[in-house]
Amino acid sequence: MNTTLTTCPYCGTGCNFYLLHDDIGQLTGLEPAANHPVTRGQLCVKGWNAHAFVGHPDRLQTPLIRKNGQLQPTDWQTALDLLHDKLRTIATRQGPDSLMFLSSAKVSNEENYLLMKLARAGYGTNNIDHCARLCHSSTVTGLVETLGSGAMTNSLSCFAETDLIFVIGSNTTEQHPLIGSRILQAVQQGAQLIVADSRRIRLSQHADLHLRHQNGSDIALLNGMMRHISQEGLEDRTFITQRTENFSALQQALEPFTPEYVATITGLSSQQIMDAARLFAEADRAMIVYAMGITQHSHGVDNVRAVSNLALLTGNLGRPGTGINPLRGQNNVQGACDMGALPDVYTGYQRVADPQIREKFSAAWGVPLPETPGQMSTHAIEAAAAGKLCGMLVLGENPVVSDANQTLVYQAFEKLDFLAVIDIFMTETAQLADLVLPAACYAERDGTFTSTERRVQRGRKAVEPPGQARADWQIIAELLRRCGLKGDYTDPAEIMNEIASLTPSYGGIEYSRLEGEGLQWPCSDNTDPGTPILHTRTCTRGKGHFSPVTYRPPQEMPDLEFPLLLNTGRTAFHWHTGSMTRRSHLLDREERQAFVEINPTDAEKYQLAERQQLKVTSRRGSVSVRARLTERVPPGQVFIPFHFAESAANVLTNNALDPESGIPEFKVCAVRIEAC
Amino acid sequence: MLKQLDRADIDHLLDSLHTAYRLQIPQQLPDGTRHLSPYTPTSVLSLSGEIVHRKPTSFFFPQVQKLVSIDPTGHARDLQKVEKPLALFGLNRADLMGIQFLDRFFLAAPADDIYLSLRQDALLIGLTGFSGPDKSFLPLSTGNCDIELVALAGHWLALGHSTIGKKLLDPYARGLNSELEELRQRDENSSGDLELLQQASHLLMNDLVPDSFWAEIAGRCILCSGCNMVCPTCSCFCVQDRCFEETTERSRVWDSCQFDAFMREASGHNPLGTEALRTRRRIHHKLAADIERWGEPGCVACGRCDRSCPTGIGMMAVAGEIVKRYGAGRR
């Protein structure tokens, strides 16, 4: 049995395991890495099944071109020539900004870098983005403003060194199970736990305080806690004086958020808010952990600012066991952002709008570069639906199922003149494409991934890709070559050397240094051991900036016509649009179809029964799902996972976007429910 | 006859085995994971350390195992023939007990032919004595292997437990029975884990562990299924069919009793419909049901589930908690 050490393809925790493969190149299972600092010989259920989809018969094996309405096999030369010709023609005739490139948090750093380079240097547009737009764009915007860096400030090892963990909007044991287990271990060791989540998630069973605040009322809760901390004199005066700015503005903004006022918005009691404030502020070392419950709102950036304010107010930054810890959902969503697969920055968050930075990249790549920042993916969908985009290249994403308001997304893709998709399966998005290219999956190619704690790690090839499928970096390199740019990379290590030469925070990342535990950026040169904790002496931007925010409600709240609040998210057993996990036998068997969690009180009110097939309707559409009666959701709220294309939760969701980050409000919209 | 090997003899033994067998020996993987990997003349043999991480039973009953392949005409194709039998080197007492346990399950008439094809000519070589972490002492086997090497300070006593094992040891020098006897004395005093399991088992079989305990332990379970994946005596599998263009393949895949779907019926009814019931089953099956069925527990105290459990509710941890709360000490 042969073994290949690699990084898990699912969430951003960064677990490592050995893929086991036999002499004929088939995977026979996997084994967690016993001494890896994150994995420690343990995996979650998706990790234990990460080999299962790799050899699935549905894998794409040949390039496909649409002819007479049907996708038909073709050869690589024809496919790549056509792809380049289409993109080049659109760029020439309609202008480069008529193109949109969607990169992927599932492909490597090197592949994200190459696609970003292709969009900018190859076809002349900054219109490149990826699914971080749908998850942590609010974090990047918010934390760059307040701290100077959008990344998780601390490391996973800090959970063993903390006195209190405040989890707000993260179902950690299901979505980052090996981080969730660290939280449970910390609680076993005596750390205190506050969980703010409207759902009764597993962590809430272990919490000292469970705050079931109304979805979308986070700012009220956080401001209320901060006001009470100030009133009680529990803020960290020394930290505020020495390390922060704009404190008086914060104090002013907090004034209206009395416990009584906050109670009316959140649905909590005044006492709960005061208890949470005191508990949090009295801990010497407190970590704030958050995920999509904070970011996926039409006020997601303000939510992040409020989280940041709370950490700064109590001096919980720059030390072990503290910090602002936004958990990245995809195994390389941190890396895809780091690599500049975003419309306004190159690698390492170097701004497109900065002429000196632009000149640096222009000189390195040997072509002039576009000056105007590009479009966010969510705006690009709107633009396409309005007929203002002509061509799109989608790499390893499935917006038809993952983006808010599916009807709009279908309209967008139908209006495009040309759509190309690179993927490992025939996703719902690929089915709409004019050209589909088969890619190697994580087990079939080399590359690096950057985890939620900024740990850059190797992914390694264990087996050959099926049929004619190729590694994404090889596909993109072919397009770069056709654009007259360097395309003769021998391997991803060479691409990483180019990235390091252009990216200060990755300056010391090279493959020879990644053989052990990886390196946590910033890592400026090849003697730099990496940075487990950010903002230790000063923040990346200098002073930590208090950025006061005020509460505004979600854009669509329940009313008489649509009386229930719909919350969407993931389950423990499936991954996003299900293309991998629904093709993994055990995971598929565990959750085979879409369901809606309904509180028994609501079930009684609307006369609904367990396992009954129901029609759920929002202003944007309807889906059919099976009822699951549970106290997990509070009365008035229902929850539907978004994994199931045939009952897609995103038919219902509201594409109301945060004005700054462009993230949709996946966590709140209004629905009604009736029997089918 | 008791034999004695030095380090060069072990290399010689391995070298002589690898022509006739697919020999697997303990080696360190890149991050230090101790793993049974294929022998090559340049392999670096690990002669002491933690128990190998991957359970050795996985060589006979792997995580994914092809059962049958059917061509478009509906005929079964021959599966890939096993060219050479396996030889597993470096098994401690728990791992040998695990293999013995699984043998009984798969080889009871009618024998599982896939398992049998891999197991029947396989050679098992135990490694006991001072071969644990930091050369700590590991108890001797019960003789359920072909060869057993018992580590001492600078040499290994070698016991041939089977005919072929004895024959393979023929070329080597005679060992001192007194040295072996000394270790056997030590052996009898080193079964603390098994004693704990017996106490927990007694409490379970007398129904002294309340339902509230299982609800509490289940509340800490994050449903990773790792406890089942790493357990050398877990034999549950599910069947997976995959239709490729040229062939349809049926495989079996390790299953987990911690999954809701493990016992969920088509109607939706589930006899083990709560996490608490499933957690109870995990422990109860090994420490009570197996004893009733086989006369011995289904846990061989290898420690893998405790190591792989992200939240500290592996078998030994739970057994310890049961004995602490409901055992004699409590009263």
Side-chain angles (χ1 to χ4, degrees):
Chain A
M1 214 183 300
N2 305 300
T3 54
T4 302
L5 181 62
T6 196
T7 302
C8 182
Y10 286 113
C11 80
T13 303
C15 296
N16 273 211
F17 52 67
Y18 292 91
L19 284 168
L20 309 177
H21 38 108
D22 60 21
D23 295 334
I24 55 168
Q26 294 199 337
L27 296 181
T28 57
L30 55 78
E31 179 71 18
N35 295 335
H36 184 266
V38 176
T39 315
R40 306 186 297 186
Q42 299 161 355
L43 289 173
C44 75
V45 69
K46 288 191 287 289
W48 274 109
N49 287 278
H51 60 288
F53 68 86
V54 174
H56 195 278
D58 290 351
R59 284 291 302 278
L60 294 173
Q61 302 201 24
T62 50
L64 301 166
I65 288 182
R66 191 171 296 280
K67 282 184 191 157
N68 306 320
Q70 299 288 318
L71 283 167
Q72 296 177 8
T74 187
D75 60 88
W76 273 105
Q77 178 82 20
T78 308
L80 288 164
D81 285 346
L82 175 84
L83 177 54
H84 174 63
D85 183 51
K86 288 283 187 185
L87 296 176
R88 171 62 70 214
T89 304
I90 291 170
T92 308
R93 290 194 188 154
Q94 279 90 18
D97 291 341
S98 307
L99 293 173
M100 183 73 204
F101 293 79
L102 287 189
S103 195
S104 174
K106 276 278 160 282
V107 305
S108 69
N109 287 322
E110 293 78 2
E111 289 157 344
N112 272 289
Y113 170 79
L114 288 191
L115 191 69
M116 175 286 282
K117 181 175 174 180
L118 180 74
R120 292 180 160 128
Y123 297 106
T125 180
N126 286 310
N127 281 352
I128 175 150
D129 206 357
H130 73 286
C131 69
R133 186 63 49 206
L134 310 178
C135 67
H136 272 297
S137 55
S138 307
T139 297
V140 175
T141 308
L143 295 187
V144 165
E145 178 192 296
T146 61
L147 306 177
S149 167
M152 177 168 166
T153 64
N154 285 52
S155 288
L156 299 180
S157 59
C158 284
F159 285 103
E161 303 174 80
T162 190
D163 300 314
L164 183 142
I165 303 164
F166 179 24
V167 180
I168 180 163
S170 160
N171 183 4
T172 326
T173 59
E174 291 198 27
Q175 305 316 333
H176 300 85
L178 266 288
I179 300 178
S181 71
R182 285 183 189 243
I183 296 174
L184 291 179
Q185 286 163 18
V187 171
Q188 291 283 318
Q189 298 301 314
Q192 290 181 298
L193 176 64
I194 305 174
V195 173
D197 199 307
S198 58
R199 292 169 83 212
R200 193 170 282 163
I201 56 175
R202 187 178 301 279
L203 278 181
S204 68
Q205 296 174 36
H206 302 268
D208 295 275
L209 205 54
H210 180 201
L211 308 170
R212 301 187 83 180
H213 63 308
Q214 178 76 26
N215 277 29
S217 68
D218 307 270
I219 287 173
L221 169 63
L222 293 163
N223 278 358
M225 284 173 65
M226 284 188 274
R227 183 183 180 278
H228 190 67
I229 288 168
S230 292
Q231 294 273 314
E232 296 282 302
L234 295 171
E235 72 275 26
D236 187 337
R237 278 277 160 192
T238 313
F239 186 88
I240 293 166
T241 311
Q242 293 177 354
R243 297 277 315 262
T244 69
E245 64 185 25
N246 208 30
F247 179 54
S248 57
L250 177 79
Q251 281 180 306
Q252 269 182 7
L254 295 179
E255 205 40 52
F257 289 87
T258 62
E260 296 72 27
Y261 173 57
V262 171
T264 62
I265 300 172
T266 58
L268 301 170
S269 71
S270 314
Q271 193 60 48
Q272 282 178 302
I273 295 150
M274 293 189 286
D275 287 349
R278 177 167 283 279
L279 201 57
F280 184 84
E282 285 183 344
D284 179 35
R285 292 166 300 179
M287 296 176 79
I288 307 176
V289 172
Y290 75 84
M292 304 299 93
I294 283 291
T295 60
Q296 290 180 332
H297 291 277
S298 58
H299 47 263
V301 178
D302 281 352
N303 279 356
V304 172
R305 290 184 175 112
V307 166
S308 177
N309 290 341
L310 177 62
L312 293 175
L313 181 73
T314 50
N316 280 303
L317 194 72
R319 291 182 288 140
T322 68
I324 302 165
N325 300 284
L327 302 181
R328 259 60 185 192
Q330 298 261 16
N331 74 330
N332 202 34
V333 72
Q334 182 64 56
C337 291
D338 298 344
M339 291 302 106
L342 295 169
D344 56 341
V345 289
Y346 300 108
T347 57
Y349 307 94
Q350 300 174 85
R351 298 215 159 266
V352 163
D354 182 330
Q356 282 186 327
I357 298 290
R358 211 166 49 242
E359 181 49 40
K360 178 174 92 170
F361 280 87
S362 178
W365 294 343
V367 288
L369 293 170
E371 295 178 11
T372 321
Q375 294 210 59
M376 298 173 183
S377 67
T378 42
H379 291 158
I381 293 290
E382 290 174 349
K388 293 175 186 165
L389 265 186
C390 299
M392 199 180 292
L393 172 60
V394 178
L395 171 64
E397 290 206 339
N398 189 11
V400 166
V401 185
S402 65
D403 285 25
N405 191 0
Q406 189 183 68
T407 308
L408 179 79
V409 182
Y410 269 120
Q411 278 172 12
F413 285 126
E414 277 159 15
K415 285 217 173 154
L416 288 174
D417 295 336
F418 179 73
L419 172 65
V421 172
I422 307 172
D423 215 313
I424 62 171
F425 289 114
M426 183 60 77
T427 62
E428 290 71 19
T429 304
Q431 286 168 29
L432 306 176
D434 301 294
L435 178 69
V436 178
L437 301 179
C441 79
Y442 81 100
E444 299 152 354
R445 56 170 157 68
D446 291 313
T448 60
F449 301 102
T450 305
S451 76
T452 189
E453 58 172 353
R454 298 168 278 104
R455 190 183 294 276
V456 185
Q457 308 189 92
R458 288 286 311 275
R460 293 180 183 83
K461 178 176 175 173
V463 292
E464 291 298 325
Q468 298 175 43
R470 291 183 183 177
D472 300 283
W473 66 269
Q474 293 171 316
I475 299 170
I476 305 164
E478 283 289 337
L479 292 169
L480 284 166
R481 203 172 54 73
R482 282 166 172 77
C483 290
L485 297 162
K486 177 179 168 57
D488 60 348
Y489 299 99
T490 51
D491 55 28
E494 185 188 352
I495 304 169
M496 181 50 81
N497 291 342
E498 184 174 318
I499 295 166
S501 72
L502 288 165
T503 315
S505 56
Y506 274 66
I509 307 288
E510 56 183 72
Y511 271 44
S512 61
R513 298 188 71 205
L514 299 178
E515 287 302 322
E517 300 177 352
L519 287 164
Q520 287 175 276
W521 68 256
C523 177
S524 57
D525 60 45
N526 60 15
T527 60
D528 186 342
T531 313
I533 301 177
L534 297 178
H535 318 301
T536 47
R537 280 188 222 115
T538 61
C539 292
T540 306
R541 70 180 291 279
K543 294 263 188 189
H545 181 76
F546 282 109
S547 184
V549 289
T550 194
Y551 168 74
R552 61 179 197 274
Q555 296 234 340
E556 183 182 275
M557 291 297 276
D559 53 22
L560 281 176
E561 196 184 350
F562 299 98
L564 293 163
L565 184 152
L566 171 67
N567 183 5
T568 65
R570 308 194 300 216
T571 72
F573 299 95
H574 281 297
W575 187 257
H576 286 227
T577 67
S579 57
M580 298 187 295
T581 51
R582 295 189 79 187
R583 291 181 174 92
S584 302
H585 186 71
L586 288 171
L587 301 175
D588 172 52
R589 190 189 66 176
E590 195 66 1
E591 296 282 14
R592 206 155 253 176
Q593 56 190 310
F595 58 87
V596 54
E597 290 181 353
I598 306 170
N599 187 280
T601 317
D602 288 327
E604 199 179 335
K605 188 168 161 188
Y606 299 106
Q607 298 185 310
L608 310 171
E610 173 77 9
R611 290 171 59 79
Q612 187 179 0
Q613 203 65 24
L614 303 176
K615 184 179 170 192
V616 183
T617 305
S618 78
R619 286 184 174 82
R620 291 154 295 279
S622 298
V623 294
S624 171
V625 287
R626 185 172 275 193
R628 186 174 287 180
L629 308 191
T630 171
E631 300 278 356
R632 241 180 149 211
V633 284
Q637 182 188 128
V638 295
F639 173 87
I640 304 178
F642 71 96
H643 311 299
F644 303 93
E646 66 279 16
S647 315
N650 283 319
V651 167
L652 307 170
T653 50
N654 188 3
N655 57 313
L657 305 181
D658 181 289
E660 296 168 272
S661 68
I663 203 167
E665 193 145 61
F666 287 110
K667 295 299 184 196
V668 183
C669 74
V671 295
R672 68 166 177 263
I673 293 191
E674 56 217 317
C676 273
Chain B
M1 185 191 296
L2 184 66
K3 297 284 187 170
Q4 176 175 319
L5 274 66
D6 62 19
R7 186 65 182 79
D9 291 332
I10 290 181
D11 286 341
H12 177 262
L13 175 67
L14 296 179
D15 196 50
S16 67
L17 288 174
H18 104 103
T19 48
Y21 292 92
R22 286 184 294 137
L23 175 61
Q24 313 291 318
I25 62 169
Q27 298 175 48
Q28 305 271 355
L29 295 180
D31 79 317
T33 300
R34 199 157 177 263
H35 188 81
L36 287 180
S37 297
Y39 170 87
T40 67
T42 56
S43 298
V44 179
L45 171 64
S46 163
L47 277 165
S48 64
E50 286 184 296
I51 195 167
V52 287
H53 285 79
R54 189 72 165 179
K55 56 187 180 186
T57 47
S58 65
F59 283 96
F60 310 120
F61 172 44
Q63 196 167 358
V64 183
Q65 187 168 38
K66 212 175 286 177
L67 299 178
V68 66
S69 181
I70 299 179
D71 69 21
T73 64
H75 292 93
R77 284 187 183 140
D78 285 341
L79 293 176
Q80 205 192 4
K81 284 273 184 299
V82 177
E83 285 175 10
K84 288 196 283 189
L86 278 160
L88 306 184
F89 178 93
L91 308 174
N92 71 10
R93 180 157 84 173
D95 278 340
L96 289 166
M97 286 163 71
I99 293 171
Q100 191 176 337
F101 196 95
L102 218 56
D103 281 352
R104 185 171 50 199
F105 178 83
F106 279 111
L107 300 180
D112 180 295
D113 56 347
I114 306 275
Y115 184 93
L116 181 65
S117 70
L118 291 163
R119 180 69 183 89
Q120 60 187 352
D121 295 319
L123 193 75
L124 304 183
I125 303 170
L127 179 60
T128 59
F130 295 95
S131 57
D134 301 321
K135 299 197 175 172
S136 55
F137 182 74
L138 298 179
L140 273 58
S141 84
T142 57
N144 49 3
C145 54
D146 296 287
I147 294 173
E148 179 175 5
L149 298 184
V150 186
L152 288 160
H155 63 279
W156 290 260
L157 297 175
L159 297 92
H161 292 303
S162 70
T163 311
I164 188 157
K166 288 187 176 89
K167 193 175 164 202
L168 285 165
L169 289 176
D170 259 352
Y172 302 102
R174 178 179 283 207
L176 283 176
N177 276 316
S178 57
E179 286 186 333
L180 187 64
E181 279 317 304
E182 201 179 307
L183 292 178
R184 285 205 196 283
Q185 295 296 321
R186 188 186 182 106
D187 194 18
E188 284 170 11
N189 300 320
S190 63
S191 56
D193 284 351
L194 292 172
E195 209 169 279
L196 180 69
L197 292 177
Q198 276 170 8
Q199 290 172 27
S201 170
H202 174 79
L203 296 166
L204 285 168
M205 293 180 86
N206 287 287
D207 210 13
L208 294 171
V209 182
D211 290 348
S212 58
F213 175 79
W214 299 113
E216 182 194 325
I217 299 296
R220 285 165 59 190
C221 175
I222 60 164
L223 307 176
C224 73
S225 76
C227 49
N228 295 127
M229 300 296 108
V230 301
C231 178
T233 67
C234 273
S235 54
C236 289
F237 59 83
C238 60
V239 171
Q240 165 189 286
D241 290 336
R242 285 182 164 174
C243 300
F244 295 86
E245 224 165 85
E246 296 289 313
T247 175
T248 296
E249 289 180 356
R250 170 162 290 186
S251 306
R252 62 180 166 203
V253 175
W254 289 350
D255 208 336
S256 164
C257 55
Q258 300 308 289
F259 290 139
D260 181 63
F262 181 75
M263 287 195 75
R264 192 199 301 145
E265 297 168 6
S267 67
H269 173 67
N270 192 341
L272 288 177
T274 67
E275 289 171 6
L277 281 172
R278 294 194 285 276
T279 299
R280 180 181 181 278
R281 178 200 166 90
R282 168 166 71 89
I283 306 295
H284 193 272
H285 186 122
K286 305 276 186 199
L287 298 190
D290 276 338
I291 291 174
E292 283 166 8
R293 184 174 180 190
W294 307 112
E296 59 179 349
C299 174
V300 295
C302 70
R304 286 190 179 86
C305 59
D306 285 280
R307 198 165 54 188
S308 71
C309 179
T311 60
I313 51 169
M315 176 63 81
M316 299 311 300
V318 173
E321 204 59 35
I322 288 173
V323 171
K324 190 170 130 196
R325 291 199 209 178
Y326 311 109
R330 187 186 66 101
R331 291 193 292 272

